[in-house]
Amino acid sequence: MLELELFPFANSNKIILDLFQAYFDARKNKRNTINALAFEKHLETNLFALSDEIMNRNYKPRGCICFIINKPVKREIFAADFRDRVVHHFIYQYISPIFEKTFINDSYSCRIGKGTHYGIRRTDHFIRACSRNYTKDCYILKLDIKGYFMSIYKPLLYDKIHEEVIRYRNKIDFDLDLVLYLLKVTIFTDPRTQCRIKGSKNDWKGLPLTKCLFHVQPDYGLPIGNLTSQLFGNVYLNEFDHFVKRDLKIKYYGRYVDDLILIHPDKAYLQYCISEIRYYLKKELQLILHPDKIYLQHYSKGVRYLGTVIKPHRIYVASRSKGNFYTAITKHNKVVRDHKPTIEEMAAFQSSMNSYLGLMKHYKTYKLRKKYIHNNVSTWWLNRFYPFKYEIFKPKQKSVRCK
Protein backbone atom coordinates (compact mmCIF):
# COMPACT_ATOMS: atom_id res chain seq x y z
CA MET A 1 0.00 0.00 0.00
CA LEU A 2 2.87 2.32 0.83
CA GLU A 3 4.43 1.64 -2.59
CA LEU A 4 1.19 2.60 -4.31
CA GLU A 5 1.02 5.87 -2.42
CA LEU A 6 4.63 6.71 -3.22
CA PHE A 7 4.34 5.87 -6.93
CA PRO A 8 2.92 9.25 -8.02
CA PHE A 9 5.77 11.01 -6.21
CA ALA A 10 8.36 8.71 -7.80
CA ASN A 11 6.80 9.32 -11.21
CA SER A 12 6.84 13.07 -10.57
CA ASN A 13 10.51 12.99 -9.61
CA LYS A 14 11.41 11.07 -12.77
CA ILE A 15 9.59 13.59 -14.97
CA ILE A 16 11.35 16.51 -13.29
CA LEU A 17 14.77 14.84 -13.66
CA ASP A 18 14.06 14.05 -17.31
CA LEU A 19 12.94 17.64 -17.90
CA PHE A 20 16.25 18.86 -16.47
CA GLN A 21 18.08 16.58 -18.90
CA ALA A 22 15.88 17.80 -21.75
CA TYR A 23 16.74 21.39 -20.77
CA PHE A 24 20.49 20.67 -20.91
CA ASP A 25 20.03 19.08 -24.34
CA ALA A 26 17.90 21.97 -25.62
CA ARG A 27 20.33 24.68 -24.57
CA LYS A 28 23.26 23.26 -26.54
CA ASN A 29 24.28 25.94 -29.07
CA LYS A 30 21.28 28.01 -27.89
CA ARG A 31 22.42 29.17 -24.46
CA ASN A 32 23.09 32.78 -25.46
CA THR A 33 19.74 33.36 -27.16
CA ILE A 34 17.25 35.69 -25.49
CA ASN A 35 14.64 32.97 -24.92
CA ALA A 36 17.17 30.55 -23.43
CA LEU A 37 18.60 33.20 -21.08
CA ALA A 38 15.11 34.25 -19.96
CA PHE A 39 14.22 30.62 -19.22
CA GLU A 40 17.50 29.99 -17.39
CA LYS A 41 17.07 33.08 -15.19
CA HIS A 42 14.31 31.28 -13.27
CA LEU A 43 15.29 27.76 -14.27
CA GLU A 44 13.93 25.72 -11.37
CA THR A 45 10.67 27.67 -11.25
CA ASN A 46 10.12 27.28 -14.99
CA LEU A 47 10.90 23.56 -15.03
CA PHE A 48 8.70 22.77 -12.03
CA ALA A 49 5.85 24.80 -13.56
CA LEU A 50 6.33 22.96 -16.86
CA SER A 51 6.29 19.58 -15.10
CA ASP A 52 3.02 20.53 -13.36
CA GLU A 53 1.44 21.47 -16.70
CA ILE A 54 2.57 18.20 -18.27
CA MET A 55 1.40 15.97 -15.41
CA ASN A 56 -1.95 17.82 -15.15
CA ARG A 57 -2.45 17.46 -18.93
CA ASN A 58 -2.88 21.21 -19.54
CA TYR A 59 0.36 21.87 -21.41
CA LYS A 60 -0.06 24.11 -24.47
CA PRO A 61 2.74 25.19 -26.82
CA ARG A 62 3.42 28.93 -26.92
CA GLY A 63 3.73 31.12 -29.98
CA CYS A 64 6.72 30.64 -32.26
CA ILE A 65 8.69 32.88 -34.61
CA CYS A 66 8.38 32.37 -38.36
CA PHE A 67 11.06 33.57 -40.77
CA ILE A 68 12.77 32.76 -44.05
CA ILE A 69 16.32 31.53 -44.54
CA ASN A 70 18.03 31.59 -47.93
CA LYS A 71 20.97 29.25 -47.35
CA PRO A 72 21.58 26.53 -48.26
CA VAL A 73 18.18 26.89 -50.00
CA LYS A 74 15.16 29.10 -49.40
CA ARG A 75 13.09 27.65 -46.55
CA GLU A 76 10.37 28.69 -44.14
CA ILE A 77 11.40 28.14 -40.51
CA PHE A 78 9.17 28.04 -37.41
CA ALA A 79 11.34 28.57 -34.31
CA ALA A 80 9.54 27.26 -31.22
CA ASP A 81 9.69 29.03 -27.87
CA PHE A 82 12.59 27.70 -25.77
CA ARG A 83 10.12 26.22 -23.27
CA ASP A 84 8.60 24.14 -26.07
CA ARG A 85 12.06 23.10 -27.26
CA VAL A 86 12.59 21.56 -23.84
CA VAL A 87 9.38 19.55 -24.32
CA HIS A 88 10.54 18.45 -27.78
CA HIS A 89 13.77 17.08 -26.29
CA PHE A 90 11.73 15.53 -23.47
CA ILE A 91 9.65 13.61 -26.03
CA TYR A 92 12.67 12.78 -28.16
CA GLN A 93 14.64 11.15 -25.35
CA TYR A 94 11.74 8.75 -24.72
CA ILE A 95 10.66 7.67 -28.20
CA SER A 96 13.87 7.99 -30.23
CA PRO A 97 15.44 4.78 -28.79
CA ILE A 98 12.28 2.89 -29.76
CA PHE A 99 12.40 3.97 -33.40
CA GLU A 100 16.18 3.59 -33.69
CA LYS A 101 15.56 -0.16 -33.49
CA THR A 102 13.21 -0.03 -36.47
CA PHE A 103 15.12 2.33 -38.82
CA ILE A 104 17.30 0.92 -41.58
CA ASN A 105 21.01 1.64 -41.26
CA ASP A 106 21.01 3.95 -44.28
CA SER A 107 18.56 6.53 -43.02
CA TYR A 108 20.99 9.33 -42.29
CA SER A 109 19.08 12.35 -41.00
CA CYS A 110 18.92 13.34 -37.31
CA ARG A 111 20.60 10.20 -35.99
CA ILE A 112 23.61 9.84 -33.71
CA GLY A 113 26.62 8.58 -35.65
CA LYS A 114 24.98 9.25 -39.01
CA GLY A 115 24.58 12.55 -40.88
CA THR A 116 25.70 13.94 -44.22
CA HIS A 117 29.32 12.76 -44.11
CA TYR A 118 28.22 9.22 -43.31
CA GLY A 119 25.61 9.33 -46.09
CA ILE A 120 28.18 10.55 -48.62
CA ARG A 121 30.71 7.89 -47.66
CA ARG A 122 28.06 5.17 -47.78
CA THR A 123 26.88 6.28 -51.23
CA ASP A 124 30.47 6.24 -52.51
CA HIS A 125 30.86 2.76 -51.01
CA PHE A 126 27.60 1.60 -52.65
CA ILE A 127 28.78 2.74 -56.09
CA ARG A 128 32.13 0.97 -55.69
CA ALA A 129 30.46 -2.20 -54.45
CA CYS A 130 27.74 -2.29 -57.12
CA SER A 131 30.22 -1.56 -59.95
CA ARG A 132 32.75 -4.08 -58.60
CA ASN A 133 35.28 -1.31 -57.99
CA TYR A 134 34.33 0.53 -61.20
CA THR A 135 34.75 -2.49 -63.49
CA LYS A 136 31.06 -3.26 -64.14
CA ASP A 137 28.09 -1.14 -65.22
CA CYS A 138 25.79 0.26 -62.56
CA TYR A 139 23.29 3.10 -62.48
CA ILE A 140 22.31 5.72 -59.94
CA LEU A 141 18.70 6.80 -59.38
CA LYS A 142 18.16 9.92 -57.27
CA LEU A 143 14.64 10.98 -56.29
CA ASP A 144 13.03 13.74 -54.26
CA ILE A 145 9.60 14.09 -52.63
CA LYS A 146 7.69 17.25 -53.49
CA GLY A 147 7.20 19.53 -50.45
CA TYR A 148 7.84 16.67 -48.06
CA PHE A 149 7.30 18.26 -44.64
CA MET A 150 4.29 20.21 -45.89
CA SER A 151 2.72 17.01 -47.29
CA ILE A 152 2.89 14.89 -44.13
CA TYR A 153 -0.62 13.86 -43.06
CA LYS A 154 -0.75 14.34 -39.29
CA PRO A 155 -3.39 11.69 -38.39
CA LEU A 156 -1.45 9.07 -40.33
CA LEU A 157 1.80 10.14 -38.67
CA TYR A 158 0.28 9.91 -35.20
CA ASP A 159 -1.14 6.46 -35.95
CA LYS A 160 2.29 5.23 -37.05
CA ILE A 161 3.95 6.54 -33.89
CA HIS A 162 1.15 5.27 -31.65
CA GLU A 163 1.24 1.78 -33.18
CA GLU A 164 5.02 1.46 -32.80
CA VAL A 165 5.15 2.79 -29.25
CA ILE A 166 2.30 0.51 -28.15
CA ARG A 167 4.24 -2.49 -29.48
CA TYR A 168 7.02 -1.70 -26.99
CA ARG A 169 4.77 -0.88 -24.04
CA ASN A 170 6.13 -3.82 -22.02
CA LYS A 171 9.73 -2.70 -22.51
CA ILE A 172 9.50 1.00 -21.68
CA ASP A 173 10.22 2.69 -18.35
CA PHE A 174 8.19 5.88 -18.82
CA ASP A 175 4.56 6.95 -18.51
CA LEU A 176 3.17 5.86 -21.88
CA ASP A 177 -0.12 7.78 -21.60
CA LEU A 178 1.73 10.97 -20.74
CA VAL A 179 4.07 10.69 -23.72
CA LEU A 180 1.20 9.90 -26.09
CA TYR A 181 -0.59 12.97 -24.77
CA LEU A 182 2.45 15.16 -25.46
CA LEU A 183 2.86 13.62 -28.90
CA LYS A 184 -0.74 14.42 -29.78
CA VAL A 185 -0.39 18.01 -28.57
CA THR A 186 2.90 18.51 -30.44
CA ILE A 187 1.70 16.99 -33.71
CA PHE A 188 -1.77 18.52 -33.92
CA THR A 189 -1.09 22.03 -32.56
CA ASP A 190 -1.11 24.43 -35.51
CA PRO A 191 1.99 26.69 -35.23
CA ARG A 192 0.42 29.24 -37.59
CA THR A 193 -2.20 30.34 -35.07
CA GLN A 194 0.18 32.04 -32.63
CA CYS A 195 3.29 32.68 -34.71
CA ARG A 196 5.06 36.02 -35.00
CA ILE A 197 6.45 36.91 -38.41
CA LYS A 198 10.09 38.00 -38.38
CA GLY A 199 11.02 40.06 -41.42
CA SER A 200 8.74 41.28 -44.20
CA LYS A 201 6.26 39.57 -46.50
CA ASN A 202 8.68 40.13 -49.36
CA ASP A 203 10.94 37.50 -47.80
CA TRP A 204 8.41 34.87 -48.89
CA LYS A 205 8.69 35.85 -52.57
CA GLY A 206 10.16 33.01 -54.57
CA LEU A 207 9.27 30.37 -51.97
CA PRO A 208 7.21 27.60 -53.66
CA LEU A 209 3.73 27.15 -52.20
CA THR A 210 4.55 23.48 -51.62
CA LYS A 211 7.20 24.60 -49.09
CA CYS A 212 5.03 27.06 -47.19
CA LEU A 213 3.02 25.95 -44.16
CA PHE A 214 0.57 28.83 -44.64
CA HIS A 215 -0.75 27.21 -47.84
CA VAL A 216 -1.30 23.61 -46.70
CA GLN A 217 -4.64 21.92 -46.13
CA PRO A 218 -5.93 21.24 -42.60
CA ASP A 219 -4.19 18.32 -40.83
CA TYR A 220 -1.21 18.50 -43.17
CA GLY A 221 2.31 19.78 -42.67
CA LEU A 222 4.97 19.89 -39.97
CA PRO A 223 6.99 23.00 -39.09
CA ILE A 224 10.62 22.91 -40.21
CA GLY A 225 12.82 23.84 -37.28
CA ASN A 226 11.61 21.51 -34.53
CA LEU A 227 13.63 18.53 -33.32
CA THR A 228 10.46 16.45 -33.26
CA SER A 229 9.73 17.27 -36.91
CA GLN A 230 13.07 15.75 -37.93
CA LEU A 231 12.33 12.56 -36.00
CA PHE A 232 8.75 12.43 -37.29
CA GLY A 233 10.06 12.83 -40.84
CA ASN A 234 12.11 9.65 -40.40
CA VAL A 235 9.19 7.79 -38.81
CA TYR A 236 6.81 8.73 -41.63
CA LEU A 237 9.08 7.19 -44.30
CA ASN A 238 10.30 4.25 -42.22
CA GLU A 239 7.92 1.69 -43.74
CA PHE A 240 8.76 3.05 -47.19
CA ASP A 241 12.47 2.40 -46.53
CA HIS A 242 11.69 -1.22 -45.73
CA PHE A 243 9.49 -1.44 -48.85
CA VAL A 244 12.43 -0.38 -51.03
CA LYS A 245 14.83 -2.80 -49.36
CA ARG A 246 12.45 -5.76 -48.92
CA ASP A 247 9.94 -5.59 -51.78
CA LEU A 248 11.95 -3.82 -54.48
CA LYS A 249 15.08 -5.66 -53.30
CA ILE A 250 17.35 -2.65 -53.67
CA LYS A 251 20.48 -3.57 -51.73
CA TYR A 252 22.19 -0.22 -52.24
CA TYR A 253 19.70 2.34 -50.99
CA GLY A 254 20.00 5.40 -48.74
CA ARG A 255 17.82 8.31 -47.65
CA TYR A 256 18.52 11.69 -46.10
CA VAL A 257 15.13 13.21 -45.12
CA ASP A 258 13.39 13.11 -48.55
CA ASP A 259 16.48 12.72 -50.76
CA LEU A 260 16.42 9.11 -51.97
CA ILE A 261 19.27 7.35 -53.75
CA LEU A 262 19.11 3.87 -55.31
CA ILE A 263 22.02 2.09 -57.01
CA HIS A 264 21.55 -1.00 -59.17
CA PRO A 265 23.30 -2.71 -62.12
CA ASP A 266 20.11 -2.77 -64.23
CA LYS A 267 18.93 0.58 -65.60
CA ALA A 268 15.60 -0.84 -66.78
CA TYR A 269 14.85 -2.13 -63.29
CA LEU A 270 15.49 1.31 -61.79
CA GLN A 271 13.04 2.79 -64.30
CA TYR A 272 10.51 0.22 -63.11
CA CYS A 273 11.25 1.23 -59.50
CA ILE A 274 10.30 4.85 -60.26
CA SER A 275 6.72 3.90 -61.07
CA GLU A 276 6.50 1.54 -58.08
CA ILE A 277 7.83 4.17 -55.70
CA ARG A 278 5.51 6.81 -57.10
CA TYR A 279 2.50 4.51 -56.62
CA TYR A 280 3.50 3.50 -53.08
CA LEU A 281 4.11 7.07 -51.90
CA LYS A 282 0.77 8.24 -53.28
CA LYS A 283 -1.30 5.32 -52.01
CA GLU A 284 0.26 4.70 -48.59
CA LEU A 285 1.60 8.11 -47.52
CA GLN A 286 -0.22 10.70 -49.68
CA LEU A 287 3.10 11.98 -50.98
CA ILE A 288 4.07 13.01 -54.50
CA LEU A 289 7.37 12.22 -56.19
CA HIS A 290 8.86 15.44 -57.56
CA PRO A 291 8.63 15.10 -61.38
CA ASP A 292 11.52 17.52 -62.05
CA LYS A 293 14.00 15.93 -59.66
CA ILE A 294 14.42 12.46 -61.09
CA TYR A 295 18.06 11.67 -61.92
CA LEU A 296 19.03 8.38 -63.58
CA GLN A 297 22.56 8.07 -64.95
CA HIS A 298 25.53 5.75 -65.30
CA TYR A 299 27.85 5.96 -62.29
CA SER A 300 30.67 7.36 -64.47
CA LYS A 301 28.64 10.56 -64.89
CA GLY A 302 28.78 11.19 -61.13
CA VAL A 303 25.94 12.27 -58.87
CA ARG A 304 25.25 15.34 -56.73
CA TYR A 305 24.30 14.23 -53.24
CA LEU A 306 24.26 16.01 -49.87
CA GLY A 307 26.35 18.98 -51.00
CA THR A 308 28.97 16.95 -52.86
CA VAL A 309 29.62 15.52 -56.31
CA ILE A 310 30.49 11.83 -56.09
CA LYS A 311 32.56 10.50 -59.00
CA PRO A 312 34.72 7.40 -59.45
CA HIS A 313 37.76 7.51 -57.12
CA ARG A 314 36.98 11.04 -55.88
CA ILE A 315 34.44 13.24 -54.13
CA TYR A 316 34.21 17.00 -54.70
CA VAL A 317 32.22 19.66 -52.87
CA ALA A 318 29.32 21.06 -54.88
CA SER A 319 29.37 24.49 -56.50
CA ARG A 320 26.95 25.88 -53.92
CA SER A 321 29.35 25.14 -51.07
CA LYS A 322 32.22 26.72 -52.98
CA GLY A 323 30.12 29.80 -53.66
CA ASN A 324 29.15 30.11 -50.00
CA PHE A 325 32.84 29.79 -49.01
CA TYR A 326 33.82 32.59 -51.40
CA THR A 327 30.95 34.78 -50.13
CA ALA A 328 32.11 34.29 -46.53
CA ILE A 329 35.69 35.30 -47.46
CA THR A 330 34.43 38.39 -49.29
CA LYS A 331 32.32 39.39 -46.30
CA HIS A 332 35.27 39.21 -43.89
CA ASN A 333 37.61 41.00 -46.31
CA LYS A 334 35.14 43.88 -46.41
CA VAL A 335 35.37 44.15 -42.61
CA VAL A 336 39.13 44.73 -42.88
CA ARG A 337 38.68 47.38 -45.55
CA ASP A 338 36.07 49.26 -43.54
CA HIS A 339 37.72 49.29 -40.11
CA LYS A 340 40.02 47.43 -37.76
CA PRO A 341 38.24 44.19 -36.85
CA THR A 342 36.98 43.76 -33.30
CA ILE A 343 37.65 40.67 -31.21
CA GLU A 344 34.15 39.40 -32.03
CA GLU A 345 34.72 39.87 -35.78
CA MET A 346 38.08 38.09 -35.60
CA ALA A 347 36.45 35.20 -33.77
CA ALA A 348 33.68 35.11 -36.38
CA PHE A 349 36.25 34.96 -39.18
CA GLN A 350 38.17 32.09 -37.60
CA SER A 351 34.95 30.21 -36.81
CA SER A 352 33.65 30.68 -40.36
CA MET A 353 36.91 29.58 -42.01
CA ASN A 354 37.27 26.58 -39.71
CA SER A 355 33.73 25.53 -40.55
CA TYR A 356 34.19 25.62 -44.32
CA LEU A 357 37.71 24.19 -44.27
CA GLY A 358 36.66 21.46 -41.86
CA LEU A 359 33.87 20.49 -44.26
CA MET A 360 36.10 20.57 -47.33
CA LYS A 361 38.94 18.64 -45.73
CA HIS A 362 36.81 15.48 -45.89
CA TYR A 363 36.86 15.52 -49.70
CA LYS A 364 39.16 16.12 -52.64
CA THR A 365 39.64 19.87 -52.16
CA TYR A 366 43.34 20.42 -51.41
CA LYS A 367 43.94 22.66 -54.45
CA LEU A 368 40.62 24.44 -53.94
CA ARG A 369 41.38 25.32 -50.30
CA LYS A 370 44.88 26.48 -51.18
CA LYS A 371 43.61 28.62 -54.05
CA TYR A 372 40.81 30.24 -52.06
CA ILE A 373 43.00 31.06 -49.06
CA HIS A 374 46.05 32.36 -50.94
CA ASN A 375 44.20 34.24 -53.69
CA ASN A 376 41.15 35.60 -51.86
CA VAL A 377 41.70 35.94 -48.11
CA SER A 378 43.03 39.36 -47.10
CA THR A 379 46.73 39.51 -46.09
CA TRP A 380 45.66 41.06 -42.78
CA TRP A 381 43.71 37.92 -41.87
CA LEU A 382 46.52 35.60 -42.94
CA ASN A 383 49.12 37.51 -40.91
CA ARG A 384 46.82 37.65 -37.88
CA PHE A 385 46.21 33.90 -37.94
CA TYR A 386 49.74 32.79 -38.79
CA PRO A 387 49.57 29.16 -37.49
CA PHE A 388 46.11 28.78 -39.03
CA LYS A 389 47.58 29.66 -42.46
CA TYR A 390 49.56 26.41 -42.62
CA GLU A 391 47.37 24.03 -40.63
CA ILE A 392 44.67 24.00 -43.30
CA PHE A 393 46.96 22.42 -45.89
CA LYS A 394 47.90 19.37 -43.88
CA PRO A 395 46.72 16.23 -45.72
CA LYS A 396 43.67 14.51 -44.28
CA GLN A 397 44.24 11.33 -42.35
CA LYS A 398 43.19 8.14 -44.09
CA SER A 399 39.52 7.53 -43.38
CA VAL A 400 38.07 4.25 -42.15
CA ARG A 401 36.07 2.44 -44.79
CA CYS A 402 32.30 2.27 -44.23
CA LYS A 403 31.06 -1.20 -43.48
Side-chain angles (χ1 to χ4, degrees):
M1 187 68 180
L2 180 61
E3 291 182 357
L4 292 175
E5 292 176 355
L6 290 176
F7 178 76
F9 297 100
N11 189 44
S12 173
N13 289 338
K14 175 175 170 53
I15 290 173
I16 292 170
L17 289 174
D18 290 340
L19 275 175
F20 268 96
Q21 183 58 55
Y23 160 74
F24 289 123
D25 293 338
R27 80 175 187 181
K28 290 178 182 177
N29 302 320
K30 298 288 183 182
R31 194 169 187 181
N32 293 327
T33 61
I34 294 175
N35 281 340
L37 291 171
F39 191 91
E40 187 174 4
K41 186 177 180 181
H42 305 286
L43 178 60
E44 291 82 2
T45 302
N46 288 328
L47 285 178
F48 277 102
L50 185 57
S51 68
D52 288 341
E53 289 183 30
I54 291 172
M55 287 187 290
N56 294 328
R57 307 296 198 273
N58 56 15
Y59 162 74
K60 292 182 180 179
R62 293 180 180 174
C64 55
I65 299 174
C66 180
F67 57 93
I68 294 292
I69 62 169
N70 294 294
K71 290 182 180 180
V73 296
K74 199 178 189 74
R75 284 197 182 99
E76 177 187 72
I77 303 295
F78 283 82
D81 186 84
F82 185 79
R83 172 178 170 273
D84 299 322
R85 288 178 181 271
V86 173
V87 176
H88 296 164
H89 281 271
F90 182 74
I91 296 171
Y92 183 88
Q93 68 185 354
Y94 284 148
I95 69 171
S96 178
I98 294 175
F99 286 101
E100 276 295 323
K101 300 173 184 176
T102 69
F103 292 152
I104 64 169
N105 178 65
D106 291 289
S107 171
Y108 311 122
S109 173
C110 193
R111 298 178 66 191
I112 297 173
K114 309 289 183 178
T116 55
H117 290 314
Y118 183 80
I120 293 162
R121 296 295 180 191
R122 285 288 289 178
T123 302
D124 180 54
H125 169 68
F126 286 163
I127 295 170
R128 284 187 285 109
C130 188
S131 64
R132 299 294 188 270
N133 203 25
Y134 311 119
T135 61
K136 304 288 184 181
D137 284 336
C138 83
Y139 297 86
I140 303 169
L141 173 62
K142 190 159 74 84
L143 304 170
D144 189 275
I145 297 171
K146 191 173 184 179
Y148 175 52
F149 279 102
M150 305 306 145
S151 302
I152 292 176
Y153 185 49
K154 293 180 180 180
L156 179 58
L157 169 65
Y158 179 78
D159 289 344
K160 288 179 177 293
I161 297 173
H162 183 273
E163 179 182 351
E164 196 64 37
V165 172
I166 289 295
R167 281 182 55 207
Y168 285 87
R169 63 182 177 272
N170 295 327
K171 300 179 181 180
I172 59 178
D173 60 349
F174 56 83
D175 188 336
L176 179 59
D177 291 336
L178 180 68
V179 172
L180 289 175
Y181 157 75
L182 288 175
L183 282 166
K184 184 172 289 187
V185 171
T186 302
I187 292 172
F188 290 100
T189 297
D190 190 344
R192 299 172 297 180
T193 56
Q194 302 182 60
C195 75
R196 178 169 62 87
I197 303 296
K198 183 180 179 181
S200 66
K201 292 183 178 180
N202 292 331
D203 294 340
W204 270 257
K205 288 184 177 179
L207 181 72
L209 298 183
T210 55
K211 295 186 177 182
C212 182
L213 198 60
F214 292 101
H215 292 87
V216 301
Q217 300 176 11
D219 286 332
Y220 282 86
L222 294 179
I224 297 176
N226 291 348
L227 173 66
T228 49
S229 295
Q230 298 176 55
L231 175 60
F232 295 160
N234 281 340
V235 173
Y236 201 71
L237 284 176
N238 186 34
E239 289 181 15
F240 168 76
D241 293 336
H242 289 282
F243 163 76
V244 174
K245 299 279 284 186
R246 181 187 63 246
D247 295 357
L248 296 183
K249 302 189 185 305
I250 300 293
K251 181 180 179 181
Y252 304 115
Y253 163 77
R255 175 178 63 82
Y256 186 90
V257 191
D258 63 334
D259 290 334
L260 322 173
I261 193 159
L262 298 80
I263 301 164
H264 196 272
D266 188 348
K267 184 177 182 180
Y269 184 70
L270 287 178
Q271 290 174 328
Y272 163 77
C273 288
I274 296 175
S275 59
E276 291 296 306
I277 289 172
R278 181 184 286 113
Y279 177 77
Y280 182 95
L281 290 174
K282 181 65 177 178
K283 179 184 178 184
E284 302 294 335
L285 302 173
Q286 303 185 34
L287 299 173
I288 298 174
L289 204 60
H290 202 301
D292 301 327
K293 295 184 178 180
I294 298 175
Y295 175 90
L296 178 57
Q297 285 287 359
H298 191 268
Y299 77 87
S300 60
K301 303 292 184 182
V303 61
R304 291 180 181 272
Y305 193 58
L306 302 181
T308 64
V309 178
I310 303 173
K311 291 191 174 184
H313 303 290
R314 61 206 187 276
I315 304 174
Y316 300 115
V317 293
S319 300
R320 186 170 66 195
S321 298
K322 291 188 285 187
N324 292 340
F325 186 29
Y326 181 80
T327 301
I329 292 174
T330 304
K331 173 186 174 183
H332 291 296
N333 285 344
K334 185 177 183 300
V335 171
V336 175
R337 291 195 304 267
D338 292 345
H339 59 271
K340 184 179 179 179
T342 64
I343 294 177
E344 290 78 11
E345 288 169 333
M346 287 191 287
F349 165 78
Q350 190 169 20
S351 176
S352 178
M353 293 301 102
N354 285 342
S355 177
Y356 280 107
L357 293 169
L359 167 69
M360 292 182 173
K361 199 171 182 179
H362 286 273
Y363 311 112
K364 197 174 181 64
T365 59
Y366 175 83
K367 292 181 179 179
L368 177 69
R369 286 180 280 140
K370 190 172 181 179
K371 173 185 173 182
Y372 270 43
I373 294 297
H374 279 309
N375 296 351
N376 298 299
V377 174
S378 166
T379 305
W380 191 94
W381 289 119
L382 289 179
N383 291 337
R384 182 67 181 79
F385 296 94
Y386 181 80
F388 161 80
K389 177 180 178 182
Y390 295 96
E391 282 293 322
I392 59 173
F393 302 126
K394 283 186 176 180
K396 185 177 80 68
Q397 294 180 353
K398 189 175 182 180
S399 60
V400 179
R401 181 177 177 181
C402 293
K403 295 182 179 180

